Amino acid sequence: MKQSDIKPAQALIIVEIIEYVPNSIVSRTILKKSTGNVSLISLDTGEALTENISPFDTFVQIIDGRAEITIDGVRHSLVTGQGIIIPAHKSQIVSANERFKMISTVIKSGYES
């Protein structure tokens, strides 16, 4: 599915919007606003996102598979249907002991001051 195929007010099967690619991480932003964005990300087995610290809160929901998410040194194992809030200014590592897909929602509002 191409970016141009995603239209407002149209029902989508989210898990089908992004594919797995062997030995890769695939990311696709489906909504981008000044107050935040929503992205779909797939990670193949053995892949990981680089450890980082975001200045914004992030909600991650697993839509296929199992993810390992480490927040400030505490490891969380999430399976399909589970989600977790990664607080702003906390270190985070997202890794795939097995492949998975997730929705990542970054909320930028509330940090204006």
Side-chain angles (χ1 to χ4, degrees):
M1 180 175 279
K2 299 176 188 168
Q3 181 68 34
S4 60
D5 294 337
I6 299 175
K7 303 205 182 326
Q10 179 181 10
L12 301 167
I13 300 172
I14 298 299
V15 76
E16 293 179 0
I17 292 174
I18 194 162
E19 299 297 325
Y20 290 111
V21 175
N23 305 310
S24 298
I25 298 170
V26 179
S27 178
R28 181 164 184 203
T29 299
I30 59 172
L31 184 63
K32 187 174 183 81
K33 302 288 182 179
S34 61
T35 54
N37 58 60
V38 177
S39 298
L40 301 175
I41 304 168
S42 71
L43 285 84
D44 196 22
T45 303
E47 298 297 323
L49 299 176
T50 305
E51 180 175 10
N52 68 59
I53 297 174
S54 173
F56 309 113
D57 290 329
T58 302
F59 176 70
V60 172
Q61 181 180 11
I62 307 308
I63 58 173
D64 186 51
R66 176 185 305 271
E68 296 294 328
I69 299 177
T70 304
I71 303 169
D72 265 359
V74 178
R75 182 174 288 163
H76 305 271
S77 181
L78 280 73
V79 297
T80 301
Q82 291 184 311
I84 193 166
I85 296 171
I86 302 171
H89 310 292
K90 302 291 183 183
S91 69
Q92 58 182 290
I93 303 170
V94 178
S95 55
N97 293 331
E98 62 183 69
R99 68 185 197 170
F100 72 91
K101 295 178 182 179
M102 69 180 190
I103 299 172
S104 175
T105 304
V106 177
I107 306 297
K108 295 181 179 177
S109 62
Y111 296 95
E112 295 82 6
S113 53

